[in-house]
Amino acid sequence: MSGAPELAVGADAFTERGRDLEVAVVGAGAIGATAAYDLAREGADVTLYDRGSIASGSSGRAAGVCYDAFADPLDAEIGSDAIERFRELSGDDTFPFVECPYVWLAREGDERNAAALRDQITRMQENGTIALEVDGDELAERFRALRTDDVAVAGIAGAAGYTDPAKYTACLAAAADGAGATLRPETPVRVRTDPARVVRDADGTTHEVDAVLVAAGAHTERLLADAGISIAMKPYRVQALVADCELAEPMCYDATAEFYLRPHPEGLLAGDGTEYVEADPDGYDRDASPGFATDLLERVDHRVSGVHLEGDDLVRAWAGLCTATPDRDPLVGELADGLYVATGFQGHGFMRAPAIGERVADQVLGGAGIDPFDPTRFDGDEAFDVAEGMTLPEN
């Protein structure tokens, strides 16, 4: 990609809400790059830092599944806004957002997930989100690529699609650069408070700014701890793979077997492999665990119709990190005067990045925060267990 994509047009063009405001964004993943772009577009003097390259952390290892299949009204609003912005920003010269239906299902005999799925669809419909409940036969009529003879109930959401998370992040970082932001990859920093400022490790120079947004994924907790601030967040390890298997649509989450899949340029992408323990963001194993690919390929083979997946079909497998909180809602907003955070997305961070980045940038510029996601709702020393982010919600 050469140059910065021209994303700001029409009513979305530059304004000056951020004039005379200097902001440091720490973490050049999807949320940090989006926030940096929105801040720069509003006239703020923005520097985007990352200890590695653009999208070198969790965003570069994300699945790229995007949907608005959320029962909670706030989650549904954010999901819908994110999908719409993916559509608006996508293009041949930026990154591809491929429209694709999203299916989630529960198998026969799995009454707990079947009940949760039906309740989720009802609440989605009450919120005005388009979602359709179908049985196995109806699902088979719509999607011949899926095996459906063991499906008790399924949901179908049309406002969904997939993209390449690394390309999205690179696109938004380039757009931020084009809007006037300064990009500082390969630049580890330390965060300080009172006043908010960033310390560059390379030369020890202390650079004071008006506001700092820490969106450093799994490293967020350690960065803030170094500044004397504790947050209730734990990184945990997840795994995914790409297999050589033709799949045009849909994207699918099998709640009973606890895995997801989506089309991919090299075949299909599938994932699960959640480890329910806190991971070391600096020392975790980035390779898939032994046996992970074999086990997941067997489950995918069961769900995808007309194929037979074996070890030779594996293209690659890897591990990444997600972040958990005690209540499974993210920490987004102001932690202390001039210090903001965006983390704890339970595996849903990338798909909500366009909307979360936009909202947290707006708060930095003086707008309202997202009250239910207020990071100060926790003391930061809470004991809690890591929970799978893809599970169906229950009342």
Side-chain angles (χ1 to χ4, degrees):
M1 179 166 45
S2 60
E6 297 181 1
L7 299 184
V9 295
D12 200 33
F14 292 80
T15 64
E16 294 296 324
R17 288 178 63 205
R19 178 182 289 276
D20 299 325
L21 184 68
E22 188 173 1
V23 184
V25 178
V26 183
I31 291 174
T34 302
Y37 167 61
D38 281 10
L39 287 163
R41 191 182 62 188
E42 294 286 357
D45 180 0
V46 182
T47 303
L48 177 63
Y49 297 94
D50 199 282
R51 67 202 299 263
S53 58
I54 304 298
S56 61
S58 296
S59 291
R61 293 173 172 263
V65 175
C66 309
Y67 56 73
D68 67 351
F70 296 99
D72 177 81
L74 174 60
D75 289 335
E77 175 189 328
I78 290 173
S80 177
D81 288 352
I83 291 289
E84 186 57 33
R85 204 165 188 216
F86 275 126
R87 288 170 174 156
E88 291 174 354
L89 299 180
S90 173
D92 293 339
D93 296 327
T94 54
F95 69 95
F97 178 73
V98 181
E99 303 275 353
C100 184
Y102 175 71
V103 170
W104 63 115
L105 61 89
R107 300 185 186 186
E108 293 176 348
D110 184 3
E111 297 301 328
R112 182 184 67 83
N113 275 318
L117 193 153
R118 291 188 177 99
D119 178 68
Q120 180 185 18
I121 293 174
T122 297
R123 288 189 287 153
M124 288 173 64
Q125 293 170 342
E126 290 172 350
N127 294 336
T129 302
I130 298 175
L132 179 66
E133 179 183 327
V134 297
D135 60 22
D137 291 338
E138 293 169 312
L139 187 63
E141 292 178 3
R142 292 173 178 266
F143 302 110
R144 297 187 180 277
L146 297 181
R147 174 184 170 181
T148 63
D149 61 320
D150 62 347
V151 173
V153 61
I156 303 174
Y162 59 88
T163 189
D164 183 321
K167 287 184 178 179
Y168 169 86
T169 306
C171 168
L172 268 293
D177 178 67
T182 301
L183 306 189
R184 291 286 183 266
E186 311 297 342
T187 306
V189 298
R190 289 180 293 163
V191 176
R192 291 292 181 264
T193 58
D194 192 26
R197 58 188 184 269
V198 173
V199 181
R200 293 183 59 183
D201 283 353
D203 55 14
T205 301
T206 300
H207 182 63
E208 294 188 4
V209 295
D210 299 299
V212 177
L213 167 61
V214 181
H219 290 90
T220 299
E221 189 271 339
R222 290 187 179 179
L223 273 167
L224 293 172
D226 190 43
I229 296 177
S230 298
I231 59 171
M233 184 275 277
K234 292 181 180 180
Y236 64 95
R237 186 169 174 269
V238 295
Q239 301 177 80
L241 60 80
V242 170
D244 182 7
C245 170
E246 184 175 349
L247 177 69
E249 62 176 36
M251 302 184 292
C252 179
Y253 173 58
D254 186 326
T256 304
E258 297 183 338
F259 74 92
Y260 63 85
L261 59 85
R262 74 158 173 91
H264 186 274
E266 296 176 86
L268 66 79
L269 184 153
D272 75 337
T274 296
E275 294 183 352
Y276 299 95
V277 295
E278 186 171 1
D280 179 351
D282 292 312
Y284 80 97
D285 188 353
R286 289 162 174 77
D287 295 326
S289 300
F292 161 74
T294 299
D295 174 71
L296 183 53
L297 285 174
E298 289 179 357
R299 284 180 282 161
V300 173
D301 180 70
H302 173 87
R303 183 54 54 208
V304 179
S305 177
V307 301
H308 180 58
L309 289 172
E310 298 179 335
D312 290 345
D313 297 309
L314 178 67
V315 177
R316 61 184 176 277
W318 68 94
L321 294 179
C322 293
T323 50
T325 68
D327 61 3
R328 298 175 60 182
D329 277 337
L331 310 176
V332 180
E334 193 170 21
L335 268 173
D337 186 29
L339 178 62
Y340 300 80
V341 67
T343 191
F345 291 96
Q346 299 280 171
H348 294 131
F350 175 75
M351 72 172 67
R352 294 192 277 185
I356 292 293
E358 180 180 43
R359 283 163 169 76
V360 74
D362 180 72
Q363 187 178 7
V364 172
L365 295 170
I370 310 173
D371 287 343
F373 297 169
D374 183 348
T376 64
R377 70 185 185 275
F378 297 117
D379 294 329
D381 58 358
E382 287 80 2
F384 65 99
D385 295 326
V386 171
E388 164 66 62
M390 290 291 292
T391 54
L392 295 179
E394 296 184 58
N395 286 334

